Amino acid sequence: MQYLWTNTDFEHPTTIKDIIAHLESQGITATRKTVANDIEDLRSAGIEVDCQRSTQNRYYIDTRHFELPEVKLLVDAVQSARFITTKKSRALIKKLSAFISRYQGD
């Protein structure tokens, strides 16, 4: 779930092969079937994992707590608030970027 949340969005889907490689880098052994079952479990839990069907299906988190335009609006508000220090502003922006994929956060 964390890998999908951090590394995927509509424009940056991932394959089961990529997920398995990430899990192996974390010391976790997985098979295609277990990852596919885990994706179905996430869907059953209410997390919207969408799939772009092709020869190698590509998965991504579809709906998030905040959409990209909402996060941009909040970041603009934080940056323009004169009563927030630069250090605190950066910390808040980093927290806000956790609501979107790392690609959108950049």
Side-chain angles (χ1 to χ4, degrees):
M1 157 77 189
Q2 186 63 41
Y3 178 80
L4 287 171
W5 188 267
T6 304
N7 295 294
T8 67
D9 57 45
F10 178 75
E11 295 176 359
H12 301 93
T14 191
T15 63
I16 288 181
K17 182 179 178 180
D18 293 335
I19 295 170
I20 291 171
H22 171 74
L23 291 173
E24 287 176 354
S25 75
Q26 302 295 312
I28 301 168
T29 304
T31 65
R32 295 182 76 71
K33 186 171 181 165
T34 58
V35 173
N37 289 339
D38 289 344
I39 289 171
E40 286 308 312
D41 290 343
L42 290 172
R43 288 176 173 157
S44 297
I47 298 167
E48 293 187 38
V49 181
D50 209 348
C51 178
Q52 294 176 351
R53 302 244 181 241
S54 65
T55 55
Q56 221 179 12
N57 291 341
R58 303 175 70 77
Y59 299 90
Y60 62 95
I61 298 289
D62 189 31
T63 303
R64 298 173 179 272
H65 300 298
F66 291 101
E67 298 296 325
L68 181 59
E70 295 169 326
V71 172
K72 285 182 177 181
L73 176 71
L74 293 170
V75 167
D76 287 346
V78 167
Q79 287 177 331
S80 65
R82 295 177 189 240
F83 59 89
I84 300 175
T85 65
T86 303
K87 183 178 177 181
K88 187 62 176 177
S89 178
R90 287 188 184 131
L92 286 170
I93 290 169
K94 186 175 181 178
K95 287 180 181 180
L96 287 170
S97 67
F99 288 108
I100 52 180
S101 75
R102 68 184 173 106
Y103 302 103
Q104 292 173 330
D106 290 342

